[in-house]
Coordinates of all heavy atoms in Angstrom, one line a residue:
M14 N 13.5 20.4 12.0 CA 13.0 19.5 12.9 C 12.5 18.1 12.0 O 11.8 18.3 11.1 CB 11.8 19.9 13.7 CG 11.1 18.8 14.6 SD 9.8 19.6 15.5 CE 10.5 19.6 17.2
P15 N 13.0 17.0 12.4 CA 12.6 15.7 11.6 C 11.0 15.6 11.6 O 10.4 15.8 12.7 CB 13.3 14.5 12.1 CG 14.2 15.2 13.3 CD 13.8 16.6 13.4
R16 N 10.5 15.0 10.5 CA 9.2 14.6 10.5 C 8.8 13.4 11.4 O 9.7 12.4 11.4 CB 8.9 14.3 8.8 CG 7.4 14.1 8.7 CD 7.1 13.9 7.3 NE 5.9 13.3 7.0 CZ 5.4 13.0 5.9 NH1 6.0 13.2 4.9 NH2 4.1 12.6 5.7
E17 N 7.7 13.5 12.0 CA 7.4 12.4 12.9 C 6.9 11.2 12.0 O 6.4 11.2 10.9 CB 6.0 12.8 13.7 CG 6.2 12.4 15.2 CD 5.0 12.8 16.0 OE1 4.9 14.1 16.2 OE2 4.1 12.0 16.3
L18 N 7.3 10.0 12.5 CA 6.9 8.7 11.7 C 5.4 8.6 11.7 O 4.7 8.8 12.7 CB 7.6 7.5 12.5 CG 9.1 7.5 12.4 CD1 9.5 6.1 13.1 CD2 9.6 7.5 11.1
E19 N 5.0 8.2 10.5 CA 3.4 7.9 10.4 C 3.3 6.5 9.8 O 3.2 6.3 8.5 CB 2.9 9.0 9.4 CG 2.9 10.4 9.9 CD 2.5 11.4 8.9 OE1 3.2 11.8 8.0 OE2 1.3 11.7 9.1
P20 N 3.5 5.5 10.7 CA 3.4 4.1 10.2 C 2.0 3.8 9.5 O 0.9 4.2 9.8 CB 3.4 3.2 11.4 CG 4.0 4.2 12.4 CD 3.4 5.6 12.0
A21 N 2.2 3.2 8.3 CA 1.1 2.8 7.5 C 1.4 1.5 6.8 O 2.5 1.0 6.6 CB 0.9 3.9 6.3
V22 N 0.2 0.7 6.6 CA 0.2 -0.6 5.8 C -0.5 -0.1 4.5 O -1.5 0.6 4.6 CB -0.6 -1.7 6.5 CG1 -0.5 -3.0 5.8 CG2 0.0 -1.8 7.9
Y23 N -0.1 -0.7 3.4 CA -0.7 -0.2 2.2 C -0.7 -1.4 1.1 O 0.0 -2.4 1.3 CB 0.1 1.0 1.6 CG 1.5 0.6 1.2 CD1 1.9 0.3 -0.1 CD2 2.5 0.7 2.3 CE1 3.2 0.0 -0.4 CE2 3.9 0.3 1.9 CZ 4.2 0.1 0.6 OH 5.5 -0.2 0.3
M24 N -1.5 -1.2 0.2 CA -1.5 -2.2 -1.1 C -1.3 -1.4 -2.4 O -2.0 -0.4 -2.5 CB -2.8 -2.9 -1.2 CG -2.9 -4.0 0.1 SD -4.3 -5.1 -0.3 CE -5.2 -5.0 1.4
M25 N -0.5 -1.9 -3.2 CA -0.2 -1.3 -4.6 C -0.8 -2.4 -5.5 O -0.7 -3.6 -5.2 CB 1.1 -1.1 -4.8 CG 1.9 -0.1 -3.8 SD 1.5 1.6 -3.9 CE 2.0 2.0 -5.7
A26 N -1.4 -2.0 -6.6 CA -1.8 -2.9 -7.7 C -1.4 -2.3 -9.0 O -1.3 -1.2 -9.3 CB -3.3 -3.1 -7.6
N27 N -1.4 -3.3 -10.0 CA -1.1 -2.9 -11.4 C -2.4 -2.5 -12.2 O -2.4 -1.7 -13.1 CB -0.3 -3.9 -12.2 CG -0.9 -5.2 -12.3 OD1 -2.0 -5.5 -11.6 ND2 -0.2 -6.2 -12.9
R28 N -3.5 -3.1 -11.7 CA -4.9 -2.8 -12.4 C -5.9 -3.5 -11.4 O -5.6 -4.2 -10.4 CB -5.0 -3.4 -13.7 CG -5.0 -4.9 -13.8 CD -5.0 -5.3 -15.3 NE -5.0 -6.7 -15.4 CZ -4.1 -7.6 -15.1 NH1 -2.9 -7.2 -14.8 NH2 -4.3 -8.8 -15.2
K29 N -7.1 -3.1 -11.7 CA -8.3 -3.9 -10.9 C -8.2 -5.2 -11.0 O -8.0 -5.8 -12.2 CB -9.6 -3.4 -11.4 CG -10.8 -3.8 -10.5 CD -12.1 -3.1 -11.0 CE -13.2 -3.7 -10.0 NZ -14.4 -3.1 -10.2
N30 N -8.3 -6.0 -9.9 CA -8.0 -7.4 -9.8 C -6.8 -8.0 -10.4 O -6.7 -9.2 -10.7 CB -9.3 -8.1 -10.5 CG -10.6 -7.8 -9.8 OD1 -10.7 -7.9 -8.7 ND2 -11.6 -7.4 -10.7
G31 N -5.8 -7.2 -10.5 CA -4.5 -7.6 -11.0 C -3.6 -7.9 -9.8 O -4.0 -8.3 -8.8
A32 N -2.2 -7.9 -10.0 CA -1.3 -8.2 -9.0 C -1.4 -7.1 -8.0 O -1.6 -5.9 -8.1 CB 0.2 -8.0 -9.7
I33 N -1.2 -7.6 -6.6 CA -1.4 -6.9 -5.4 C 0.0 -7.0 -4.6 O 0.5 -8.2 -4.3 CB -2.6 -7.3 -4.6 CG1 -3.8 -7.2 -5.3 CG2 -2.6 -6.6 -3.3 CD1 -5.0 -7.9 -4.7
Y34 N 0.5 -5.9 -4.1 CA 1.6 -5.8 -3.3 C 1.3 -5.3 -2.0 O 0.6 -4.3 -1.9 CB 2.8 -5.0 -3.9 CG 3.9 -4.8 -2.9 CD1 4.9 -5.8 -2.8 CD2 4.1 -3.6 -2.2 CE1 6.0 -5.7 -1.9 CE2 5.1 -3.5 -1.4 CZ 6.1 -4.4 -1.3 OH 7.1 -4.2 -0.4
I35 N 1.6 -5.9 -0.9 CA 1.3 -5.4 0.5 C 2.7 -4.8 1.1 O 3.6 -5.7 1.1 CB 0.7 -6.4 1.3 CG1 -0.6 -6.8 0.8 CG2 0.6 -5.9 2.7 CD1 -1.4 -8.0 1.5
G36 N 2.6 -3.9 1.6 CA 3.9 -3.2 2.4 C 3.6 -2.4 3.5 O 2.5 -2.2 3.9
V37 N 4.7 -2.0 4.2 CA 4.5 -1.2 5.4 C 5.6 -0.2 5.4 O 6.7 -0.3 4.7 CB 4.7 -2.1 6.8 CG1 6.2 -2.8 6.8 CG2 4.3 -1.3 8.0
T38 N 5.3 1.1 5.8 CA 6.3 2.1 5.8 C 5.9 3.2 6.8 O 4.9 3.2 7.4 CB 6.3 2.8 4.4 OG1 7.2 3.8 4.3 CG2 4.8 3.4 4.1
S39 N 6.9 4.0 7.1 CA 6.8 5.2 8.0 C 6.6 6.5 7.1 O 6.4 7.6 7.8 CB 7.9 5.3 8.9 OG 9.0 5.5 8.2
N40 N 6.6 6.4 5.8 CA 6.4 7.6 5.0 C 5.6 7.1 3.8 O 6.4 6.9 2.6 CB 7.9 8.0 4.6 CG 7.7 9.3 3.7 OD1 6.6 9.7 3.2 ND2 8.9 9.8 3.3
L41 N 4.4 7.0 3.8 CA 3.5 6.6 2.7 C 3.6 7.2 1.5 O 3.8 6.8 0.4 CB 2.1 6.5 3.2 CG 1.2 5.8 2.1 CD1 1.6 4.4 1.8 CD2 -0.3 5.8 2.7
P42 N 3.6 8.7 1.5 CA 3.8 9.4 0.3 C 5.1 9.1 -0.5 O 5.1 8.9 -1.7 CB 3.6 10.8 0.6 CG 2.9 10.9 1.9 CD 3.2 9.6 2.6
G43 N 6.2 9.1 0.4 CA 7.5 8.8 -0.3 C 7.5 7.3 -0.8 O 8.1 7.1 -1.9
R44 N 7.1 6.5 -0.1 CA 7.2 5.1 -0.5 C 6.4 4.8 -1.7 O 6.7 4.1 -2.6 CB 6.8 4.1 0.7 CG 7.1 2.6 0.4 CD 8.5 2.5 0.2 NE 8.9 1.0 0.1 CZ 9.6 0.6 -0.9 NH1 10.1 1.3 -1.8 NH2 9.8 -0.7 -1.2
A45 N 5.0 5.3 -1.7 CA 4.2 5.1 -2.9 C 4.9 5.8 -4.2 O 4.9 5.1 -5.3 CB 2.8 5.7 -2.6
W46 N 5.5 6.9 -4.0 CA 6.2 7.5 -5.2 C 7.2 6.6 -5.6 O 7.5 6.5 -6.9 CB 6.7 8.8 -4.7 CG 7.5 9.5 -5.9 CD1 6.9 10.4 -6.7 CD2 9.0 9.5 -6.1 NE1 8.0 10.8 -7.6 CE2 9.1 10.3 -7.2 CE3 9.9 8.8 -5.6 CZ2 10.3 10.4 -7.9 CZ3 11.3 8.9 -6.2 CH2 11.4 9.7 -7.3
Q47 N 8.0 6.0 -4.7 CA 9.1 5.0 -5.2 C 8.5 3.9 -6.0 O 9.1 3.5 -7.0 CB 9.8 4.5 -4.0 CG 10.7 5.5 -3.3 CD 11.4 4.9 -2.0 OE1 10.8 4.0 -1.5 NE2 12.5 5.5 -1.6
H48 N 7.4 3.4 -5.5 CA 6.7 2.3 -6.3 C 6.3 2.8 -7.7 O 6.5 2.1 -8.7 CB 5.6 1.7 -5.5 CG 5.9 1.0 -4.4 ND1 6.7 -0.1 -4.4 CD2 5.5 1.1 -3.1 CE1 6.9 -0.6 -3.2 NE2 6.1 0.0 -2.4
R49 N 5.7 4.0 -7.8 CA 5.2 4.5 -9.0 C 6.2 4.8 -10.0 O 6.0 4.6 -11.2 CB 4.4 5.8 -8.7 CG 3.2 5.6 -7.9 CD 2.6 6.9 -7.4 NE 2.2 7.8 -8.5 CZ 1.1 7.8 -9.1 NH1 0.2 6.9 -8.8 NH2 1.0 8.6 -10.0
E50 N 7.3 5.4 -9.5 CA 8.5 5.5 -10.4 C 9.5 4.4 -10.7 O 10.4 4.6 -11.6 CB 9.3 6.6 -9.7 CG 8.7 8.1 -9.5 CD 8.1 8.5 -10.9 OE1 8.9 8.7 -11.9 OE2 6.9 9.0 -11.0
G51 N 9.2 3.3 -10.1 CA 10.1 2.1 -10.3 C 11.4 2.2 -9.8 O 12.4 1.9 -10.3
A52 N 11.6 3.2 -8.6 CA 12.8 3.5 -8.2 C 13.6 2.4 -7.6 O 14.8 2.5 -7.4 CB 12.6 4.5 -7.1
T53 N 12.9 1.3 -7.0 CA 13.6 0.1 -6.5 C 13.2 -1.1 -7.1 O 12.1 -1.3 -7.7 CB 13.4 0.0 -5.1 OG1 12.0 -0.1 -4.8 CG2 13.9 1.2 -4.3
D54 N 14.2 -2.1 -7.4 CA 13.8 -3.4 -8.0 C 13.0 -4.2 -7.1 O 13.0 -4.0 -5.9 CB 15.2 -4.0 -8.3 CG 15.9 -3.3 -9.4 OD1 15.3 -2.7 -10.3 OD2 17.1 -3.7 -9.6
G55 N 12.2 -5.0 -7.6 CA 11.4 -5.8 -6.8 C 10.1 -6.1 -7.4 O 9.8 -5.8 -8.6
F56 N 9.2 -6.7 -6.7 CA 7.8 -7.0 -7.0 C 7.1 -6.0 -7.8 O 6.5 -6.2 -8.9 CB 7.0 -7.6 -6.0 CG 5.7 -8.3 -6.3 CD1 5.5 -9.5 -6.6 CD2 4.5 -7.4 -6.4 CE1 4.3 -10.1 -6.9 CE2 3.3 -7.9 -6.7 CZ 3.1 -9.2 -7.1
T57 N 7.0 -4.8 -7.1 CA 6.1 -3.8 -7.8 C 6.6 -3.3 -9.0 O 5.9 -3.0 -10.0 CB 6.0 -2.5 -6.7 OG1 7.2 -2.1 -6.4 CG2 5.2 -3.0 -5.5
K58 N 8.0 -3.2 -9.2 CA 8.6 -2.9 -10.4 C 8.4 -3.9 -11.6 O 8.0 -3.6 -12.6 CB 10.1 -2.5 -10.3 CG 10.7 -2.0 -11.5 CD 12.1 -1.6 -11.3 CE 12.9 -0.9 -12.5 NZ 14.2 -0.6 -12.2
R59 N 8.6 -5.2 -11.1 CA 8.4 -6.2 -12.1 C 7.0 -6.4 -12.6 O 6.9 -6.6 -13.8 CB 8.8 -7.5 -11.4 CG 9.0 -8.9 -12.4 CD 9.5 -10.0 -11.7 NE 9.3 -10.3 -10.3 CZ 10.2 -10.1 -9.3 NH1 11.4 -9.7 -9.5 NH2 9.9 -10.3 -8.0
Y60 N 6.0 -6.2 -11.8 CA 4.6 -6.4 -12.1 C 3.9 -5.0 -12.5 O 2.6 -4.9 -12.7 CB 3.9 -7.3 -11.0 CG 4.4 -8.6 -11.1 CD1 5.3 -9.1 -10.0 CD2 4.0 -9.5 -12.0 CE1 5.7 -10.3 -10.1 CE2 4.4 -10.8 -12.0 CZ 5.3 -11.1 -11.0 OH 5.8 -12.5 -11.1
G61 N 4.5 -4.0 -12.3 CA 4.1 -2.6 -12.7 C 3.0 -2.2 -11.7 O 2.0 -1.6 -12.1
C62 N 3.1 -2.4 -10.4 CA 2.2 -2.1 -9.5 C 2.4 -0.6 -9.0 O 3.3 -0.4 -8.1 CB 2.3 -3.0 -8.2 SG 2.0 -4.8 -8.5
K63 N 1.7 0.3 -9.7 CA 2.0 1.7 -9.6 C 0.7 2.4 -8.9 O 0.8 3.6 -8.5 CB 2.3 2.3 -10.9 CG 3.6 1.8 -11.4 CD 3.8 2.5 -12.7 CE 5.2 1.8 -13.2 NZ 5.9 2.8 -14.2
L64 N -0.3 1.7 -8.6 CA -1.6 2.3 -8.1 C -1.7 2.1 -6.5 O -1.6 0.8 -6.2 CB -2.9 1.7 -8.8 CG -2.9 1.8 -10.3 CD1 -4.1 0.9 -10.8 CD2 -3.0 3.2 -10.8
L65 N -1.8 3.0 -5.8 CA -1.9 2.8 -4.3 C -3.6 2.8 -4.2 O -4.3 3.6 -4.4 CB -1.4 4.1 -3.6 CG -1.8 4.1 -2.2 CD1 -1.1 3.0 -1.4 CD2 -1.5 5.6 -1.5
V66 N -4.0 1.5 -3.9 CA -5.4 1.2 -3.9 C -6.0 1.1 -2.5 O -7.2 1.1 -2.5 CB -5.7 0.0 -4.8 CG1 -5.4 0.2 -6.2 CG2 -5.0 -1.3 -4.2
W67 N -5.1 1.0 -1.5 CA -5.6 0.7 -0.2 C -4.5 1.3 0.8 O -3.3 0.9 0.6 CB -6.1 -0.6 0.1 CG -6.7 -0.9 1.5 CD1 -7.9 -0.8 2.0 CD2 -5.9 -1.2 2.6 NE1 -8.0 -1.0 3.3 CE2 -6.7 -1.4 3.7 CE3 -4.5 -1.7 2.9 CZ2 -6.3 -1.8 5.0 CZ3 -4.0 -2.0 4.1 CH2 -5.0 -2.2 5.1
F68 N -4.8 1.8 2.0 CA -3.8 2.0 3.0 C -4.6 2.2 4.4 O -5.8 2.5 4.3 CB -3.0 3.1 2.8 CG -3.6 4.5 2.8 CD1 -3.7 5.3 3.9 CD2 -4.2 5.1 1.5 CE1 -4.3 6.5 3.9 CE2 -4.8 6.2 1.5 CZ -4.8 7.1 2.7
E69 N -3.9 1.9 5.3 CA -4.4 2.0 6.7 C -3.3 2.6 7.6 O -2.3 2.0 7.7 CB -4.8 0.6 7.2 CG -5.4 0.5 8.5 CD -5.9 -1.0 8.7 OE1 -6.9 -1.4 8.2 OE2 -5.0 -1.8 9.3
M70 N -3.5 3.7 8.3 CA -2.5 4.4 9.3 C -2.6 3.5 10.5 O -3.8 3.0 10.9 CB -2.9 5.8 9.4 CG -2.9 6.6 8.2 SD -1.5 6.4 7.1 CE -0.1 7.3 8.0
R71 N -1.4 3.4 11.2 CA -1.4 2.7 12.5 C -0.8 3.6 13.6 O 0.0 4.5 13.2 CB -0.6 1.5 12.3 CG -1.2 0.4 11.4 CD -2.6 0.1 12.0 NE -3.0 -1.3 11.7 CZ -4.1 -1.8 12.5 NH1 -4.8 -1.2 13.3 NH2 -4.4 -3.0 12.3
E72 N -0.9 3.4 14.8 CA -0.4 4.0 15.9 C 1.2 3.9 16.0 O 1.8 5.0 16.3 CB -1.0 3.5 17.3 CG -2.4 3.8 17.5 CD -2.5 5.3 17.8 OE1 -1.8 5.9 18.6 OE2 -3.5 5.8 17.3
D73 N 1.7 2.9 15.7 CA 3.1 2.6 15.8 C 3.6 1.6 14.8 O 2.9 0.9 14.2 CB 3.7 2.3 17.2 CG 3.1 1.1 17.8 OD1 2.9 0.1 17.0 OD2 2.6 1.2 18.9
M74 N 5.0 1.5 14.5 CA 5.4 0.7 13.6 C 5.3 -0.8 13.9 O 4.9 -1.7 12.9 CB 7.0 0.9 13.3 CG 7.5 0.2 12.1 SD 6.6 0.5 10.5 CE 7.2 2.1 10.1
E75 N 5.2 -1.2 15.1 CA 5.0 -2.6 15.5 C 3.5 -3.1 15.2 O 3.4 -4.1 14.5 CB 5.2 -2.8 17.1 CG 5.1 -4.1 17.4 CD 5.3 -4.2 19.1 OE1 5.7 -3.3 19.7 OE2 4.9 -5.3 19.5
Q76 N 2.6 -2.2 15.4 CA 1.1 -2.5 14.9 C 1.2 -2.6 13.4 O 0.4 -3.5 12.9 CB 0.2 -1.4 15.4 CG 0.0 -1.4 16.8 CD -1.1 -0.3 17.2 OE1 -1.7 0.3 16.3 NE2 -1.2 -0.1 18.5
A77 N 1.8 -1.7 12.7 CA 1.7 -1.7 11.3 C 2.4 -3.1 10.8 O 1.8 -3.6 9.8 CB 2.5 -0.5 10.6
I78 N 3.5 -3.5 11.2 CA 4.2 -4.6 10.9 C 3.2 -6.0 11.1 O 3.1 -6.8 10.3 CB 5.5 -4.8 11.4 CG1 6.4 -3.7 10.9 CG2 6.2 -6.3 11.3 CD1 7.8 -3.6 11.7
L79 N 2.6 -5.9 12.2 CA 1.7 -7.0 12.7 C 0.5 -7.1 11.7 O 0.1 -8.2 11.2 CB 1.1 -6.9 14.1 CG 2.2 -7.2 15.2 CD1 1.7 -6.8 16.5 CD2 2.7 -8.5 15.2
R80 N 0.0 -6.0 11.3 CA -1.1 -5.9 10.3 C -0.7 -6.3 9.0 O -1.4 -7.0 8.2 CB -1.7 -4.4 10.3 CG -2.9 -4.2 9.3 CD -4.1 -5.0 9.7 NE -5.2 -4.5 9.0 CZ -6.2 -5.3 8.6 NH1 -6.3 -6.5 9.0 NH2 -7.2 -4.8 7.9
E81 N 0.5 -5.9 8.7 CA 1.1 -6.3 7.3 C 1.1 -7.9 7.2 O 0.8 -8.5 6.2 CB 2.5 -5.7 7.0 CG 3.1 -6.1 5.8 CD 4.5 -5.9 5.7 OE1 5.3 -6.0 6.8 OE2 5.1 -5.7 4.5
K82 N 1.8 -8.5 8.3 CA 1.8 -9.9 8.3 C 0.5 -10.7 8.3 O 0.3 -11.6 7.6 CB 2.6 -10.4 9.5 CG 4.0 -10.1 9.5 CD 4.8 -10.4 10.8 CE 6.3 -9.9 10.6 NZ 7.0 -10.4 12.0
Q83 N -0.5 -10.0 8.9 CA -1.9 -10.6 9.0 C -2.4 -10.5 7.6 O -3.0 -11.5 7.1 CB -2.7 -9.8 10.0 CG -4.1 -10.1 9.9 CD -5.0 -9.2 10.7 OE1 -4.8 -8.0 10.6 NE2 -6.0 -9.7 11.5
L84 N -2.3 -9.4 6.8 CA -2.8 -9.3 5.5 C -2.2 -10.3 4.6 O -2.8 -10.9 3.7 CB -2.7 -7.9 5.0 CG -3.5 -6.9 5.8 CD1 -3.2 -5.4 5.3 CD2 -5.1 -7.1 5.6
K85 N -0.8 -10.3 4.6 CA 0.0 -11.3 3.7 C -0.4 -12.7 4.0 O -0.4 -13.5 3.0 CB 1.4 -11.0 3.9 CG 2.0 -9.7 3.3 CD 3.4 -9.6 3.4 CE 3.9 -8.4 2.7 NZ 5.4 -8.3 2.7
A86 N -0.9 -13.1 5.2 CA -1.2 -14.5 5.4 C -2.6 -14.9 4.9 O -3.1 -16.0 4.9 CB -1.1 -14.7 6.9
G87 N -3.5 -13.7 4.7 CA -4.7 -13.9 4.3 C -4.9 -14.3 2.8 O -4.0 -14.3 2.1
S88 N -6.1 -14.6 2.5 CA -6.4 -15.1 1.1 C -6.5 -13.8 0.1 O -6.7 -12.8 0.6 CB -7.8 -15.8 1.1 OG -8.8 -15.0 1.3
R89 N -6.3 -14.2 -1.2 CA -6.5 -13.0 -2.1 C -7.9 -12.5 -2.0 O -8.1 -11.3 -2.1 CB -6.1 -13.6 -3.5 CG -6.2 -12.6 -4.6 CD -5.8 -13.1 -5.9 NE -6.1 -12.3 -7.0 CZ -5.5 -11.1 -7.4 NH1 -4.5 -10.7 -6.7 NH2 -6.0 -10.3 -8.3
K90 N -8.8 -13.4 -1.9 CA -10.2 -13.0 -1.7 C -10.4 -11.9 -0.7 O -11.0 -10.8 -0.9 CB -11.1 -14.2 -1.5 CG -12.6 -13.9 -1.6 CD -13.4 -15.3 -1.3 CE -15.0 -15.0 -1.4 NZ -15.7 -16.1 -1.2
K91 N -9.8 -12.1 0.5 CA -9.9 -11.2 1.5 C -9.2 -9.8 1.3 O -9.7 -8.8 1.6 CB -9.3 -11.8 2.9 CG -10.2 -12.8 3.5 CD -9.5 -13.3 4.7 CE -10.5 -14.4 5.4 NZ -9.8 -15.1 6.6
K92 N -8.1 -9.9 0.5 CA -7.3 -8.6 0.1 C -8.3 -7.9 -0.8 O -8.5 -6.7 -0.6 CB -6.0 -9.0 -0.5 CG -5.1 -9.7 0.4 CD -3.8 -10.2 -0.3 CE -3.0 -10.9 0.8 NZ -2.4 -12.1 0.2
I93 N -8.8 -8.6 -1.8 CA -9.7 -7.7 -2.7 C -11.1 -7.3 -2.0 O -11.3 -6.1 -2.2 CB -10.0 -8.7 -3.9 CG1 -9.0 -9.0 -4.8 CG2 -11.3 -8.2 -4.7 CD1 -9.0 -10.2 -5.8
A94 N -11.5 -8.0 -1.1 CA -12.7 -7.5 -0.3 C -12.3 -6.3 0.4 O -13.1 -5.4 0.6 CB -13.2 -8.7 0.6
L95 N -11.2 -6.2 1.1 CA -10.7 -5.1 1.8 C -10.5 -3.8 1.0 O -10.8 -2.8 1.2 CB -9.3 -5.5 2.5 CG -8.8 -4.5 3.6 CD1 -9.8 -4.3 4.7 CD2 -7.6 -5.2 4.3
I96 N -9.9 -4.1 -0.2 CA -9.6 -3.0 -1.2 C -11.0 -2.5 -1.6 O -11.3 -1.2 -1.6 CB -8.9 -3.5 -2.4 CG1 -7.4 -3.8 -2.1 CG2 -8.9 -2.3 -3.5 CD1 -6.7 -4.4 -3.0
E97 N -11.8 -3.4 -2.1 CA -13.1 -2.9 -2.6 C -14.2 -2.3 -1.6 O -15.0 -1.6 -2.0 CB -13.8 -4.1 -3.6 CG -12.9 -4.4 -4.7 CD -13.5 -5.3 -5.7 OE1 -14.5 -6.1 -5.3 OE2 -13.0 -5.4 -6.8
G98 N -13.9 -2.7 -0.4 CA -14.8 -2.1 0.8 C -14.6 -0.6 0.8 O -15.4 0.1 1.1
A99 N -13.3 -0.2 0.6 CA -12.9 1.2 0.7 C -12.7 1.9 -0.7 O -13.0 3.1 -0.6 CB -11.7 1.4 1.6
N100 N -12.5 1.1 -1.6 CA -12.2 1.7 -3.0 C -12.7 0.8 -4.1 O -11.9 0.1 -4.7 CB -10.6 1.8 -3.0 CG -10.2 2.6 -4.2 OD1 -10.9 3.0 -5.1 ND2 -8.9 2.6 -4.4
P101 N -14.0 0.7 -4.3 CA -14.6 -0.2 -5.2 C -14.1 -0.2 -6.6 O -14.1 -1.3 -7.3 CB -16.1 0.2 -5.2 CG -16.3 1.0 -4.0 CD -15.0 1.7 -3.7
V102 N -13.6 1.0 -7.1 CA -13.2 0.9 -8.4 C -11.7 0.9 -8.6 O -11.2 1.1 -9.8 CB -13.7 2.2 -9.3 CG1 -15.2 2.1 -9.3 CG2 -13.3 3.6 -8.7
W103 N -11.0 0.6 -7.4 CA -9.6 0.6 -7.5 C -8.9 1.9 -7.9 O -7.9 1.9 -8.7 CB -9.0 -0.6 -8.2 CG -9.4 -2.0 -7.6 CD1 -10.7 -2.4 -7.4 CD2 -8.6 -3.2 -7.4 NE1 -10.7 -3.6 -6.9 CE2 -9.3 -4.1 -6.9 CE3 -7.3 -3.4 -7.5 CZ2 -8.8 -5.3 -6.6 CZ3 -6.8 -4.5 -7.2 CH2 -7.5 -5.6 -6.6
R104 N -9.4 3.1 -7.6 CA -9.0 4.3 -8.0 C -7.5 4.4 -7.2 O -7.2 4.0 -6.2 CB -9.9 5.4 -7.3 CG -9.5 6.7 -7.7 CD -10.7 7.7 -7.2 NE -11.1 7.4 -5.9 CZ -10.6 7.9 -4.8 NH1 -9.6 8.8 -4.9 NH2 -11.1 7.7 -3.7
D105 N -6.7 5.2 -8.0 CA -5.4 5.6 -7.5 C -5.4 6.5 -6.3 O -5.9 7.6 -6.6 CB -4.5 6.0 -8.6 CG -2.9 6.0 -8.1 OD1 -2.7 5.7 -6.9 OD2 -2.2 6.7 -8.8
L106 N -5.1 6.2 -5.0 CA -5.2 7.1 -4.0 C -4.0 8.0 -3.8 O -4.0 8.9 -3.0 CB -5.5 6.3 -2.6 CG -6.7 5.3 -2.7 CD1 -6.7 4.4 -1.5 CD2 -7.9 6.0 -2.9
Y107 N -3.0 7.7 -4.6 CA -1.8 8.5 -4.4 C -1.9 10.0 -4.5 O -1.4 10.9 -3.7 CB -0.7 8.1 -5.5 CG 0.6 8.9 -5.4 CD1 1.5 8.6 -4.3 CD2 0.9 9.9 -6.3 CE1 2.6 9.4 -4.2 CE2 2.0 10.6 -6.2 CZ 2.9 10.5 -5.1 OH 4.0 11.1 -5.0
P108 N -2.8 10.5 -5.4 CA -2.9 12.1 -5.5 C -3.4 12.6 -4.2 O -3.1 13.8 -3.8 CB -3.9 12.3 -6.7 CG -3.7 11.2 -7.6 CD -3.4 9.9 -6.5
E109 N -4.3 11.9 -3.5 CA -4.9 12.3 -2.3 C -3.8 12.4 -1.1 O -3.8 13.5 -0.3 CB -6.0 11.4 -1.9 CG -7.1 11.4 -2.7 CD -8.2 10.3 -2.2 OE1 -8.2 9.9 -1.1 OE2 -8.9 10.0 -3.0
I110 N -2.9 11.5 -1.0 CA -1.8 11.6 0.0 C -0.7 12.3 -0.4 O 0.0 12.9 0.6 CB -1.5 10.1 0.4 CG1 -0.8 9.4 -0.7 CG2 -2.7 9.3 1.0 CD1 0.2 8.3 -0.2
A111 N -0.4 12.6 -1.7 CA 0.7 13.4 -2.1 C 0.5 14.8 -1.8 O 1.5 15.6 -1.6 CB 1.0 13.1 -3.5
A112 N -0.7 15.2 -2.0 CA -1.1 16.6 -1.7 C -1.0 17.1 -0.2 O -0.8 18.1 0.1 CB -2.5 16.8 -2.2
G113 N -1.2 16.1 0.6 CA -1.4 16.5 2.0 C 0.0 16.4 2.7 O 0.4 16.8 3.6

């Protein structure tokens, strides 16, 4: 039976206060793994964004995409505040989601 979609908006970073990438996916563990391994070319590979520092699950993909657009339109200061509100030390959250 196929796995149910689990829409999520997420942020990857290369270090605390470093480069930040915002994305949306229906498979957060798989997508975060791709970023960590540099499996696809693009921003995260170029800047070494391998740390999953923030994520938010959504009810459906439409909501996730709208939230992603909202975050991308916001200031860097707001992005950092969002990360630090939930993850003050910018700890890599990937081990927590990969195990589940």
Side-chain angles (χ1 to χ4, degrees):
M14 177 181 252
R16 185 175 168 181
E17 224 177 287
L18 296 181
E19 298 177 279
V22 183
Y23 63 96
M24 289 191 232
M25 303 290 296
N27 60 356
R28 66 182 187 284
K29 186 172 183 174
N30 295 317
I33 299 171
Y34 171 81
I35 299 173
V37 65
T38 184
S39 60
N40 177 1
L41 185 57
R44 189 67 178 123
W46 180 88
Q47 289 175 332
H48 290 304
R49 294 168 62 82
E50 297 299 314
T53 56
D54 289 336
F56 184 92
T57 56
K58 186 174 183 178
R59 185 169 39 252
Y60 292 97
C62 296
K63 297 182 179 204
L64 305 173
L65 176 65
V66 293
W67 178 89
F68 67 91
E69 186 175 273
M70 305 308 288
R71 292 306 213 164
E72 288 287 318
D73 57 47
M74 190 55 77
E75 184 178 345
Q76 286 182 13
I78 291 168
L79 290 172
R80 179 67 165 146
E81 177 196 31
K82 289 178 181 180
Q83 177 189 41
L84 293 173
K85 285 183 173 183
S88 69
R89 177 173 172 81
K90 185 177 179 179
K91 287 182 181 180
K92 293 169 189 146
I93 290 172
L95 193 58
I96 293 167
E97 292 185 345
N100 186 4
V102 297
W103 295 52
R104 180 175 50 86
D105 186 12
L106 304 174
Y107 179 74
E109 294 173 22
I110 64 156

